[in-house]
Amino acid sequence: MRTSTDPLLSQRTSGVLLHITSLPGPSGSGDLGANAYHFVDWLVSAGQSLWQILPLSPVGPGNSPYASPSSFAGNPLLVDLEDMVRSGWLHATPEIFLEPSHCDFDTVVPYRMARLHDAWQGFAQGALNPERAEFAAFCAEQSHWLDGYALFMALEARYGQPWTHWPTPLAQREPGALAAMAAELRNDVMFFSFVQWRFAVQWGRLRDYAHTLGVSIIGDAPIFVAHHSADVWIHASQFELDDCGEPSVVAGVPPDYFSATGQRWGNPLYRWSAMQAGGFSWWKARLKHLLSLVDIVRVDHFRGFDTYWEIPATELTAAVGQWRTGPGKVFLMHWARPLQTRCPRRPCPSSPKTWVRLAPPSPSCALHADSPACGYCSLLLATPQPTPICLTTMSHKQWPTLARTTTTPAQAGGTLPARSSGKQRATTSVLKLTWKFTGP
């Protein structure tokens, strides 16, 4: 198999998939408190070095992190309330029975959110100057996504319905209307910012603890986002929406052996031409932010970068639709450019500055069979069944020691069939893409 100099991908490792909310806890669901640290200890005692989690983002309909109001924010339900008590912003947990080994979200969500509101009031009234300064610094550093998210959540709390049903000046993000509501809802905006600060602090502590014990964290990024989200509200021009802001087409998968009508997910589809014109800046910011939180990112249903199933929004099922071509190699090459530098040995055939290689291309890979052969990064493929695919880039200091070997089908884990036709590829099982960047 192709050699990688990154320790996470150059040796055989194992771990456990367990989302944080599945941990036991005194507040009705798992969080970033003591039991998360105990789980890291357990991983070490079991000889495991990877902890895979579901998206860290806030939950949406059905309490699902895959329908989140933001792809940048952290889930408020993961914030450890006991940490707020120790900080002096929250009174000790009141006497309330919450099942420690079973999560009843209908009870847990309002309870936790009320406690977080109490903690915010405690902070606003009694925080020390260094704490206020730390909070202000966080807000300034994360303003590129935090300001819009906090206002979105405050407006959702005010109107309680999808953003397309808000007053037109707010739905269309008229600057004057946004400024007026930001001032009127300032306390709510600051509350949602405060919760994100505490999430970031607590997550950073847990991640650092895991790293000290040799445990790396695999994060998760759904390829599509929810329509009712700060992402779509703020970046509406990047999505296939009509004049009213509603999706004109939505995501899903076509009928197959498991479902005669397919799956209509309902997520708005990306307007890839607009995203490419902007250098895929939203995607770059999203993945860069997530990679600051975790060690590896799994992009869910990543095949949508190659081809995706487009369903007219008026259709109630996924039976009617068509395959559309995604951005493909153009997207991946754009993502690599912020990390690029000139190859120390020789330039890439496609560009003097590009050092990302998506090769050697496999006959089973529907992505980028014409990838340039630079040799300083790799796309590792196994079998056409659902399996990890690793795109790894290496630091320029690591390039001279890179072993330039070729992955054969046998080394990759199985015999690969001849290249499928477009129709066959359309029904191929969805693969999973794992990203790990070590940057120059």
Side-chain angles (χ1 to χ4, degrees), residues 280 302 305 327-337 356 358 367-368 379 391 433 435 437:
F280 301 103
F302 91 99
F305 294 133
K329 181 175 66 176
V330 173
F331 169 81
L332 297 179
M333 298 300 281
H334 264 274
W335 166 246
R337 282 170 187 161
V356 167
L358 309 175
L367 281 165
H368 328 310
L379 178 67
L391 174 66
L433 180 65
W435 307 67
F437 292 96

Side-chain angles (χ1 to χ4, degrees), residues 12 37 41 49 57 134 149 181 222 240 242 249 266 314 348 352 405:
R12 187 171 183 174
Y37 290 81
D41 294 338
S49 58
S57 50
E134 184 182 348
Y149 162 76
M181 290 305 294
E240 296 288 355
D242 60 23
V249 289
T314 54
C348 174
T405 59

